[in-house]
Amino acid sequence: MNNIFKTILCLTVIIVITIFVLSPTLFQKGMASGADTGSYLSTAKFIADSLRSNLKLPQINPYWYAGFEVTHNAPPLIYSILVPLCLIFKNIFLVSRVFHLITILIISFSMFFVIRKTYPILNSFVGSILFSFTPIILFQTLGDGSYPRGFAI
């Protein structure tokens, strides 16, 4: 098998494993778990609603501590993923669950390609799975809902 096929196969298996591991979270009712999940999603929903209603990116979120900057709560990269999801799905609860999946997949894929630069493909696959499902990564993304810390680790 050539390397492109092996890479696509590994990434596909990573997706399947991630969906399986996160299935209790993905198919629950209400918002996905996480202490900070609601704050990120409420800001993303506020931005999406503003874009939808008047096609303007708001500077201040009046609902967050009586008026903080929109991107004060987290790095803008988080909102560059969350806001389009809010615009597409229009359901903050569904967005919360989909974003948990996307977060773990981004971490898994990133680790896969970082390891792949130096090691064989099997090592990259195993390393990305082991890293992505370590307790600290799962806690930061799923338990705490601190997406920037999950990405930073």
Side-chain angles (χ1 to χ4, degrees), residues 6-89:
K6 288 179 185 177
T7 300
I8 291 170
L9 180 64
C10 285
L11 296 177
T12 304
V13 172
I14 289 171
I15 291 170
V16 170
I17 290 171
T18 304
I19 290 171
F20 177 75
V21 171
L22 298 184
S23 62
T25 301
L26 293 175
F27 302 111
Q28 71 182 7
K29 293 185 182 206
M31 187 171 291
S33 61
D36 292 341
T37 303
S39 63
Y40 294 123
L41 287 165
S42 66
T43 301
K45 185 178 180 331
F46 175 74
I47 294 169
D49 290 347
S50 178
L51 287 171
R52 196 178 291 121
S53 65
N54 59 17
L55 299 176
K56 289 187 179 180
L57 184 65
Q59 299 298 313
I60 301 292
N61 181 352
Y63 305 109
W64 188 255
Y65 289 111
F68 264 64
E69 289 180 62
V70 168
T71 57
H72 174 79
N73 188 28
L77 176 62
I78 300 297
Y79 296 119
S80 68
I81 301 169
L82 278 172
V83 170
L85 288 174
C86 285
L87 288 169
I88 292 167
F89 293 115

Coordinates of all heavy atoms in Angstrom, one line a residue, residues 6-89:
K6 N -2.4 4.6 3.2 CA -2.2 4.3 4.6 C -2.6 5.5 5.5 O -3.2 5.3 6.5 CB -0.8 3.9 4.9 CG -0.3 2.6 4.3 CD 1.1 2.3 4.6 CE 1.6 1.1 4.0 NZ 3.1 0.9 4.2
T7 N -2.2 6.7 5.1 CA -2.6 7.9 5.9 C -4.1 8.1 5.9 O -4.6 8.3 7.0 CB -1.9 9.1 5.3 OG1 -0.5 8.9 5.3 CG2 -2.3 10.4 6.0
I8 N -4.8 7.9 4.8 CA -6.2 8.1 4.7 C -6.9 7.0 5.6 O -7.8 7.3 6.3 CB -6.7 8.0 3.3 CG1 -6.3 9.3 2.6 CG2 -8.3 7.9 3.2 CD1 -6.5 9.3 1.1
L9 N -6.4 5.8 5.5 CA -6.9 4.7 6.3 C -6.7 5.0 7.8 O -7.7 4.8 8.6 CB -6.2 3.4 6.0 CG -6.7 2.1 6.7 CD1 -8.2 1.8 6.4 CD2 -5.8 0.9 6.4
C10 N -5.5 5.4 8.2 CA -5.3 5.8 9.6 C -6.2 6.9 10.1 O -6.8 6.8 11.2 CB -3.8 6.2 9.8 SG -2.7 4.8 9.8
L11 N -6.4 7.9 9.3 CA -7.2 9.1 9.7 C -8.7 8.6 9.8 O -9.4 9.1 10.7 CB -7.1 10.2 8.7 CG -5.7 10.9 8.7 CD1 -5.6 12.0 7.6 CD2 -5.3 11.4 10.0
T12 N -9.1 7.7 8.9 CA -10.5 7.2 8.9 C -10.7 6.4 10.2 O -11.7 6.5 10.9 CB -10.8 6.3 7.7 OG1 -10.6 7.1 6.5 CG2 -12.2 5.8 7.7
V13 N -9.7 5.6 10.6 CA -9.8 4.8 11.8 C -9.8 5.7 13.0 O -10.6 5.4 14.0 CB -8.7 3.7 11.9 CG1 -8.7 3.0 13.2 CG2 -8.9 2.7 10.7
I14 N -9.0 6.7 13.0 CA -9.0 7.7 14.1 C -10.4 8.3 14.3 O -10.9 8.5 15.4 CB -8.0 8.8 13.9 CG1 -6.6 8.2 14.1 CG2 -8.2 10.0 14.8 CD1 -5.4 9.1 13.7
I15 N -11.1 8.7 13.1 CA -12.4 9.2 13.2 C -13.4 8.2 13.8 O -14.2 8.6 14.7 CB -12.9 9.7 11.8 CG1 -12.1 10.9 11.3 CG2 -14.4 10.0 11.8 CD1 -12.3 11.2 9.8
V16 N -13.3 7.0 13.4 CA -14.2 6.0 13.9 C -14.0 5.7 15.4 O -15.0 5.7 16.2 CB -14.1 4.6 13.1 CG1 -14.8 3.5 13.8 CG2 -14.6 4.8 11.7
I17 N -12.8 5.6 15.8 CA -12.5 5.4 17.2 C -12.9 6.6 18.0 O -13.5 6.5 19.1 CB -10.9 5.2 17.4 CG1 -10.6 3.8 16.9 CG2 -10.6 5.3 18.9 CD1 -9.1 3.6 16.8
T18 N -12.7 7.8 17.5 CA -13.1 9.0 18.3 C -14.6 9.1 18.4 O -15.2 9.4 19.5 CB -12.6 10.3 17.5 OG1 -11.2 10.2 17.4 CG2 -13.0 11.5 18.3
I19 N -15.4 8.8 17.4 CA -16.8 8.8 17.5 C -17.3 7.7 18.5 O -18.2 8.0 19.3 CB -17.5 8.5 16.1 CG1 -17.3 9.8 15.2 CG2 -19.0 8.2 16.2 CD1 -17.7 9.6 13.7
F20 N -16.7 6.5 18.4 CA -17.0 5.5 19.4 C -16.8 5.9 20.8 O -17.6 5.8 21.7 CB -16.2 4.2 19.1 CG -16.5 3.1 20.0 CD1 -17.7 2.4 20.0 CD2 -15.6 2.8 21.0 CE1 -17.9 1.4 20.9 CE2 -15.8 1.8 21.9 CZ -17.0 1.1 21.9
V21 N -15.6 6.5 21.1 CA -15.2 6.9 22.4 C -16.1 8.0 22.9 O -16.6 8.1 24.1 CB -13.7 7.3 22.5 CG1 -13.4 8.0 23.9 CG2 -12.9 6.1 22.3
L22 N -16.5 9.0 22.0 CA -17.3 10.1 22.4 C -18.8 9.9 22.2 O -19.6 10.8 22.5 CB -16.9 11.3 21.6 CG -15.5 11.8 21.7 CD1 -15.3 13.1 20.9 CD2 -15.1 12.1 23.2
S23 N -19.2 8.7 21.8 CA -20.6 8.5 21.6 C -21.5 8.8 22.7 O -22.6 9.3 22.5 CB -20.8 7.0 21.0 OG -20.5 6.1 22.0
P24 N -21.1 8.5 24.0 CA -22.1 8.9 25.1 C -22.3 10.4 25.1 O -23.4 10.9 25.4 CB -21.3 8.4 26.3 CG -20.4 7.3 25.9 CD -20.0 7.7 24.5
T25 N -21.2 11.2 24.8 CA -21.4 12.7 24.7 C -22.1 13.1 23.5 O -22.9 14.0 23.6 CB -19.9 13.3 24.8 OG1 -19.3 12.9 26.0 CG2 -20.0 14.8 24.8
L26 N -21.8 12.5 22.4 CA -22.4 13.0 21.1 C -23.9 12.8 21.0 O -24.6 13.6 20.4 CB -21.8 12.2 19.9 CG -20.3 12.5 19.7 CD1 -19.8 11.6 18.6 CD2 -20.1 13.9 19.3
F27 N -24.4 11.8 21.7 CA -25.8 11.5 21.6 C -26.6 11.8 22.8 O -27.8 11.4 22.9 CB -26.0 10.0 21.1 CG -25.3 9.7 19.9 CD1 -24.2 8.9 19.8 CD2 -25.7 10.3 18.7 CE1 -23.5 8.6 18.6 CE2 -25.1 10.0 17.5 CZ -24.0 9.2 17.5
Q28 N -26.1 12.6 23.7 CA -26.8 13.0 24.9 C -27.8 14.2 24.5 O -27.6 14.8 23.5 CB -25.9 13.4 26.0 CG -25.2 14.7 25.7 CD -24.2 15.1 26.8 OE1 -23.9 14.3 27.7 NE2 -23.6 16.3 26.7
K29 N -28.7 14.4 25.4 CA -29.6 15.6 25.2 C -28.9 16.8 25.9 O -28.2 16.7 26.9 CB -30.9 15.3 25.8 CG -31.7 14.2 25.1 CD -33.1 14.0 25.6 CE -33.7 12.9 24.8 NZ -35.1 12.9 24.7
G30 N -29.3 18.0 25.4 CA -28.8 19.2 26.1 C -27.4 19.5 25.6 O -26.9 19.0 24.6
M31 N -26.7 20.4 26.4 CA -25.4 20.8 26.0 C -24.4 19.8 26.4 O -24.5 19.1 27.4 CB -25.1 22.2 26.7 CG -23.8 22.8 26.3 SD -23.6 24.5 26.9 CE -24.8 25.3 25.9
A32 N -23.3 19.7 25.7 CA -22.2 18.8 26.0 C -21.6 19.2 27.3 O -21.7 20.4 27.7 CB -21.2 18.8 24.9
S33 N -20.9 18.3 27.9 CA -20.3 18.5 29.2 C -19.2 19.5 29.1 O -18.7 19.8 28.1 CB -19.8 17.2 29.8 OG -18.8 16.7 28.9
G34 N -18.8 20.1 30.3 CA -17.7 21.0 30.3 C -18.1 22.3 31.1 O -19.1 22.9 30.8
A35 N -17.2 22.7 32.0 CA -17.5 23.9 32.8 C -17.5 25.1 31.9 O -18.3 26.0 32.2 CB -16.4 24.0 33.9
D36 N -16.6 25.3 31.0 CA -16.5 26.5 30.2 C -17.3 26.4 28.8 O -17.3 27.4 28.1 CB -15.0 26.8 29.9 CG -14.3 27.2 31.1 OD1 -14.9 27.6 32.1 OD2 -13.0 27.2 31.1
T37 N -17.9 25.3 28.6 CA -18.5 25.1 27.3 C -19.6 26.1 27.0 O -19.7 26.7 26.0 CB -19.1 23.6 27.2 OG1 -18.1 22.7 27.4 CG2 -19.8 23.4 25.9
G38 N -20.4 26.4 28.0 CA -21.5 27.3 27.9 C -21.0 28.7 27.6 O -21.6 29.4 26.8
S39 N -19.9 29.1 28.2 CA -19.4 30.5 28.0 C -18.9 30.7 26.5 O -19.2 31.7 25.9 CB -18.3 30.9 29.0 OG -17.2 30.0 28.8
Y40 N -18.2 29.7 26.0 CA -17.7 29.8 24.7 C -18.9 29.7 23.7 O -18.9 30.5 22.7 CB -16.7 28.6 24.3 CG -15.5 28.6 25.1 CD1 -15.1 27.6 25.9 CD2 -14.6 29.8 25.1 CE1 -13.9 27.6 26.6 CE2 -13.5 29.8 25.8 CZ -13.1 28.7 26.6 OH -11.9 28.7 27.3
L41 N -19.8 28.9 24.0 CA -20.9 28.7 23.0 C -21.9 29.9 23.1 O -22.4 30.3 22.0 CB -21.7 27.4 23.3 CG -20.9 26.2 22.8 CD1 -21.4 24.9 23.4 CD2 -20.8 26.1 21.3
S42 N -22.1 30.5 24.2 CA -23.0 31.6 24.3 C -22.4 32.8 23.5 O -23.1 33.5 22.8 CB -23.3 32.0 25.7 OG -22.1 32.5 26.4
T43 N -21.1 33.0 23.6 CA -20.4 34.1 22.8 C -20.4 33.7 21.4 O -20.7 34.6 20.5 CB -18.9 34.2 23.3 OG1 -18.9 34.6 24.7 CG2 -18.2 35.3 22.5
A44 N -20.2 32.5 21.0 CA -20.3 32.1 19.6 C -21.7 32.3 19.0 O -21.9 32.8 17.9 CB -19.8 30.7 19.4
K45 N -22.7 32.0 19.8 CA -24.1 32.2 19.4 C -24.4 33.7 19.2 O -25.1 34.1 18.3 CB -25.0 31.5 20.3 CG -26.5 31.6 19.9 CD -27.4 30.9 20.8 CE -28.8 30.9 20.4 NZ -29.3 32.0 19.7
F46 N -23.9 34.5 20.2 CA -24.1 35.9 20.1 C -23.5 36.5 18.8 O -24.1 37.3 18.1 CB -23.5 36.6 21.3 CG -23.5 38.1 21.3 CD1 -24.7 38.8 21.5 CD2 -22.4 38.8 21.0 CE1 -24.8 40.1 21.4 CE2 -22.5 40.2 21.0 CZ -23.7 40.9 21.2
I47 N -22.3 36.0 18.5 CA -21.6 36.5 17.2 C -22.4 36.0 16.0 O -22.7 36.8 15.1 CB -20.2 36.0 17.2 CG1 -19.3 36.6 18.3 CG2 -19.5 36.3 15.8 CD1 -17.9 36.0 18.4
A48 N -22.8 34.8 16.0 CA -23.6 34.2 14.9 C -24.9 34.9 14.7 O -25.3 35.3 13.6 CB -23.8 32.7 15.1
D49 N -25.6 35.2 15.8 CA -26.9 35.9 15.7 C -26.7 37.3 15.2 O -27.5 37.8 14.4 CB -27.6 35.9 17.1 CG -28.1 34.6 17.5 OD1 -28.2 33.7 16.7 OD2 -28.4 34.4 18.7
S50 N -25.6 38.0 15.6 CA -25.3 39.3 15.1 C -25.0 39.3 13.6 O -25.5 40.1 12.9 CB -24.1 39.9 15.9 OG -23.8 41.2 15.4
L51 N -24.2 38.3 13.2 CA -23.9 38.2 11.8 C -25.1 37.9 11.0 O -25.3 38.4 9.9 CB -22.8 37.1 11.6 CG -21.4 37.4 12.0 CD1 -20.5 36.2 11.9 CD2 -20.8 38.5 11.1
R52 N -26.0 37.0 11.5 CA -27.2 36.6 10.8 C -28.2 37.8 10.7 O -28.8 38.0 9.7 CB -27.9 35.5 11.5 CG -28.9 34.7 10.7 CD -29.5 33.5 11.5 NE -28.5 32.5 11.6 CZ -28.1 32.0 12.8 NH1 -28.6 32.4 13.9 NH2 -27.2 31.0 12.9
S53 N -28.3 38.6 11.7 CA -29.3 39.7 11.8 C -28.9 41.0 11.1 O -29.7 41.6 10.4 CB -29.8 40.0 13.2 OG -28.7 40.5 13.9
N54 N -27.6 41.4 11.2 CA -27.2 42.6 10.6 C -25.9 42.6 9.9 O -25.3 43.6 9.5 CB -27.2 43.8 11.7 CG -26.3 43.5 12.8 OD1 -25.4 42.6 12.7 ND2 -26.4 44.2 13.9
L55 N -25.4 41.4 9.7 CA -24.1 41.2 8.9 C -22.9 41.9 9.4 O -22.1 42.4 8.7 CB -24.4 41.5 7.4 CG -25.4 40.7 6.7 CD1 -25.6 41.2 5.3 CD2 -25.0 39.2 6.6
K56 N -22.9 42.1 10.8 CA -21.8 42.8 11.4 C -21.2 41.9 12.5 O -21.9 41.2 13.2 CB -22.2 44.1 12.0 CG -22.6 45.2 10.9 CD -22.9 46.5 11.6 CE -23.2 47.5 10.5 NZ -23.4 48.8 11.1
L57 N -19.9 42.0 12.6 CA -19.2 41.3 13.7 C -19.2 42.2 14.9 O -18.7 43.3 14.9 CB -17.8 41.0 13.3 CG -16.9 40.2 14.2 CD1 -17.5 38.8 14.4 CD2 -15.5 40.1 13.8
P58 N -19.8 41.8 16.0 CA -19.9 42.6 17.2 C -18.6 42.7 17.9 O -17.7 41.8 17.8 CB -20.9 41.9 18.1 CG -20.8 40.4 17.7 CD -20.5 40.5 16.2
Q59 N -18.3 43.9 18.5 CA -17.1 44.1 19.3 C -17.2 43.8 20.7 O -16.3 43.4 21.4 CB -16.6 45.5 19.1 CG -16.3 45.9 17.6 CD -15.2 45.1 17.1 OE1 -14.2 44.9 17.7 NE2 -15.4 44.5 15.9
I60 N -18.4 44.1 21.3 CA -18.7 43.9 22.7 C -19.9 42.9 22.9 O -20.9 43.0 22.2 CB -19.1 45.2 23.3 CG1 -18.0 46.3 23.2 CG2 -19.5 45.1 24.8 CD1 -16.7 46.0 24.0
N61 N -19.7 42.0 23.8 CA -20.8 41.1 24.2 C -21.4 41.6 25.5 O -20.9 41.5 26.5 CB -20.3 39.7 24.4 CG -21.3 38.7 24.7 OD1 -22.5 39.0 25.0 ND2 -21.0 37.4 24.8
P62 N -22.6 42.2 25.4 CA -23.2 42.9 26.6 C -23.7 41.8 27.6 O -23.9 42.2 28.7 CB -24.4 43.6 26.0 CG -24.7 43.0 24.7 CD -23.4 42.4 24.2
Y63 N -23.8 40.6 27.2 CA -24.3 39.5 28.1 C -23.1 38.9 28.9 O -23.4 38.1 29.8 CB -25.0 38.4 27.3 CG -26.1 39.0 26.5 CD1 -26.0 39.0 25.1 CD2 -27.2 39.5 27.1 CE1 -27.0 39.6 24.3 CE2 -28.2 40.1 26.3 CZ -28.1 40.1 24.9 OH -29.1 40.6 24.2
W64 N -21.9 39.2 28.6 CA -20.8 38.6 29.3 C -20.2 39.6 30.2 O -19.5 40.5 29.8 CB -19.7 38.1 28.2 CG -18.6 37.3 28.8 CD1 -17.4 37.8 29.1 CD2 -18.7 36.0 29.3 NE1 -16.6 36.8 29.7 CE2 -17.4 35.7 29.8 CE3 -19.7 35.0 29.4 CZ2 -17.1 34.4 30.4 CZ3 -19.4 33.8 29.9 CH2 -18.1 33.5 30.4
Y65 N -20.4 39.4 31.5 CA -19.9 40.3 32.6 C -20.2 41.8 32.2 O -19.4 42.6 32.4 CB -18.4 40.1 32.8 CG -18.1 38.8 33.5 CD1 -17.4 37.8 32.8 CD2 -18.4 38.6 34.8 CE1 -17.1 36.6 33.4 CE2 -18.1 37.4 35.4 CZ -17.4 36.4 34.7 OH -17.1 35.2 35.3
A66 N -21.4 42.0 31.8 CA -21.9 43.4 31.5 C -21.1 44.1 30.5 O -21.0 45.3 30.6 CB -22.1 44.2 32.8
G67 N -20.5 43.4 29.6 CA -19.9 44.1 28.4 C -18.4 43.9 28.3 O -17.6 44.8 28.5
F68 N -18.0 42.7 27.9 CA -16.6 42.4 27.6 C -16.4 42.3 26.1 O -17.4 42.1 25.3 CB -16.2 41.0 28.2 CG -15.5 41.1 29.5 CD1 -16.2 41.6 30.6 CD2 -14.2 40.7 29.7 CE1 -15.6 41.7 31.8 CE2 -13.6 40.7 30.9 CZ -14.3 41.2 32.0
E69 N -15.1 42.4 25.6 CA -14.8 42.3 24.2 C -15.3 40.8 23.8 O -15.2 39.9 24.6 CB -13.4 42.4 23.9 CG -12.8 43.8 24.1 CD -11.4 43.8 23.8 OE1 -11.0 43.5 22.6 OE2 -10.6 44.2 24.7
V70 N -15.7 40.7 22.6 CA -16.2 39.4 22.1 C -15.1 38.3 22.2 O -15.4 37.2 22.6 CB -16.7 39.6 20.7 CG1 -17.0 38.2 20.0 CG2 -18.0 40.4 20.7
T71 N -13.9 38.7 21.8 CA -12.8 37.7 21.8 C -12.0 37.7 23.1 O -11.0 37.1 23.2 CB -11.9 37.9 20.6 OG1 -11.4 39.2 20.7 CG2 -12.6 37.7 19.3
H72 N -12.5 38.4 24.2 CA -11.8 38.4 25.4 C -11.8 37.0 26.1 O -10.8 36.6 26.7 CB -12.4 39.4 26.4 CG -11.8 39.4 27.7 ND1 -10.6 40.0 28.0 CD2 -12.2 38.8 28.9 CE1 -10.3 39.8 29.3 NE2 -11.3 39.1 29.9
N73 N -12.8 36.3 26.0 CA -13.0 35.0 26.7 C -12.1 33.9 26.2 O -11.6 33.1 26.9 CB -14.5 34.6 26.5 CG -14.8 33.4 27.4 OD1 -14.1 33.2 28.4 ND2 -15.7 32.5 27.0
A74 N -11.8 33.9 24.9 CA -10.9 32.8 24.4 C -10.2 33.4 23.1 O -10.7 34.4 22.5 CB -11.7 31.6 24.0
P75 N -9.2 32.7 22.7 CA -8.5 33.1 21.4 C -9.5 33.0 20.2 O -10.4 32.2 20.2 CB -7.4 32.1 21.2 CG -7.2 31.5 22.6 CD -8.5 31.6 23.3
P76 N -9.4 34.0 19.3 CA -10.3 34.0 18.2 C -10.4 32.7 17.4 O -11.4 32.4 16.7 CB -9.8 35.1 17.3 CG -9.0 36.0 18.2 CD -8.5 35.1 19.3
L77 N -9.3 31.9 17.4 CA -9.3 30.6 16.7 C -10.5 29.7 17.1 O -11.2 29.1 16.3 CB -8.0 29.9 16.9 CG -7.9 28.5 16.2 CD1 -8.1 28.6 14.7 CD2 -6.6 27.8 16.6
I78 N -10.8 29.7 18.4 CA -12.0 28.9 18.9 C -13.3 29.4 18.2 O -14.1 28.6 17.7 CB -12.1 29.1 20.4 CG1 -10.8 28.6 21.1 CG2 -13.3 28.4 20.9 CD1 -10.5 27.1 20.9
Y79 N -13.4 30.7 18.1 CA -14.6 31.3 17.5 C -14.7 31.1 16.0 O -15.7 31.1 15.4 CB -14.8 32.7 17.9 CG -15.0 32.9 19.4 CD1 -14.1 33.6 20.2 CD2 -16.1 32.3 20.0 CE1 -14.3 33.7 21.5 CE2 -16.3 32.4 21.4 CZ -15.4 33.1 22.1 OH -15.5 33.2 23.5
S80 N -13.5 31.0 15.4 CA -13.5 30.8 13.9 C -14.0 29.4 13.5 O -14.4 29.2 12.4 CB -12.1 31.0 13.4 OG -11.2 30.0 13.8
I81 N -14.1 28.5 14.5 CA -14.7 27.2 14.3 C -16.1 27.2 14.8 O -17.0 26.7 14.1 CB -13.9 26.1 14.9 CG1 -12.4 26.1 14.4 CG2 -14.5 24.7 14.8 CD1 -11.5 25.2 15.2
L82 N -16.3 27.8 16.0 CA -17.6 27.7 16.6 C -18.7 28.6 15.9 O -19.8 28.1 15.8 CB -17.5 28.2 18.1 CG -17.1 27.2 19.1 CD1 -16.9 27.8 20.5 CD2 -18.1 26.1 19.2
V83 N -18.3 29.8 15.5 CA -19.3 30.6 14.8 C -19.9 30.0 13.5 O -21.1 30.0 13.4 CB -18.8 32.1 14.6 CG1 -19.7 32.9 13.7 CG2 -18.5 32.7 15.9
P84 N -19.1 29.5 12.6 CA -19.7 28.9 11.4 C -20.6 27.7 11.8 O -21.6 27.4 11.2 CB -18.4 28.4 10.6 CG -17.4 29.3 11.0 CD -17.6 29.6 12.5
L85 N -20.2 26.9 12.9 CA -21.0 25.8 13.3 C -22.4 26.3 13.8 O -23.4 25.7 13.5 CB -20.3 25.0 14.4 CG -19.2 24.1 14.0 CD1 -18.5 23.5 15.2 CD2 -19.6 23.1 13.0
C86 N -22.3 27.4 14.5 CA -23.6 28.1 15.0 C -24.4 28.5 13.8 O -25.7 28.4 13.8 CB -23.3 29.2 15.9 SG -22.8 28.7 17.6
L87 N -23.8 29.1 12.8 CA -24.5 29.6 11.6 C -25.1 28.4 10.8 O -26.2 28.5 10.3 CB -23.6 30.4 10.7 CG -23.2 31.8 11.2 CD1 -22.1 32.3 10.4 CD2 -24.4 32.7 11.3
I88 N -24.4 27.3 10.8 CA -24.9 26.1 10.0 C -26.0 25.4 10.8 O -27.1 25.1 10.2 CB -23.7 25.1 9.7 CG1 -22.7 25.8 8.8 CG2 -24.2 23.8 9.2 CD1 -21.4 25.0 8.6
F89 N -25.8 25.1 12.0 CA -26.7 24.2 12.8 C -27.8 24.9 13.5 O -28.9 24.4 13.7 CB -25.9 23.3 13.8 CG -25.0 22.3 13.1 CD1 -23.7 22.4 13.3 CD2 -25.6 21.3 12.3 CE1 -22.8 21.4 12.7 CE2 -24.7 20.4 11.7 CZ -23.4 20.4 11.9

